[in-house]
Amino acid sequence: MRCGILFGGINKHRQTKMFKNGTHVVVTSPGRLLEVVRERKLALNRTRMCVFDEADIMLQMGFKDDIFNLTALLPTPRQVMMWSATWPSFVAGVAERA
């Protein structure tokens, strides 16, 4: 299984080289993932599962639109999971729409 990580603050070229040989798991933030998808360095057309960890914090930080934009790019069928130590109503509402 090939895994990779994407994060801000460093050159994306080194991070995105791993996608040329295929990657099974990518750990990243919603914003960075959208960035590389828009630059056509990664396609989500074969993605079967998407996990948002600490969903409550992401939503509080303003990533709601990014989450919806990402899930709109995913093919169907797919599985979208949102993890949170707490499950406030605003997280539940986003999870139902994703």
Side-chain angles (χ1 to χ4, degrees):
M1 180 178 301
R2 289 181 296 280
C3 303
I5 185 168
L6 291 171
F7 53 91
I10 69 166
N11 186 312
K12 284 182 291 203
H13 178 70
R14 288 181 55 201
Q15 293 180 356
T16 57
K17 284 190 331 188
M18 70 184 137
F19 301 138
K20 292 184 194 284
N21 297 322
T23 305
H24 299 100
V25 176
V26 178
V27 178
T28 187
S29 66
R32 189 61 149 190
L33 182 56
L34 277 173
E35 189 178 339
V36 297
V37 167
R38 288 179 180 141
E39 293 173 358
R40 298 181 186 259
K41 294 181 179 177
L42 176 68
L44 301 177
N45 60 318
R46 294 177 55 197
T47 302
R48 293 180 289 185
M49 184 182 302
C50 183
V51 179
F52 296 101
D53 191 18
E54 300 295 345
D56 57 334
I57 306 233
M58 276 196 266
L59 294 171
Q60 289 171 349
M61 292 176 67
F63 284 104
K64 180 178 166 183
D65 290 340
D66 287 348
I67 289 171
F68 287 141
N69 289 335
L70 282 171
T71 56
L73 296 172
L74 299 174
T76 54
R78 67 184 180 221
Q79 182 177 13
V80 177
M81 293 177 275
M82 300 182 92
W83 296 93
S84 175
T86 62
W87 198 252
S89 60
F90 68 88
V91 175
V94 171
E96 288 176 16
R97 288 187 53 202

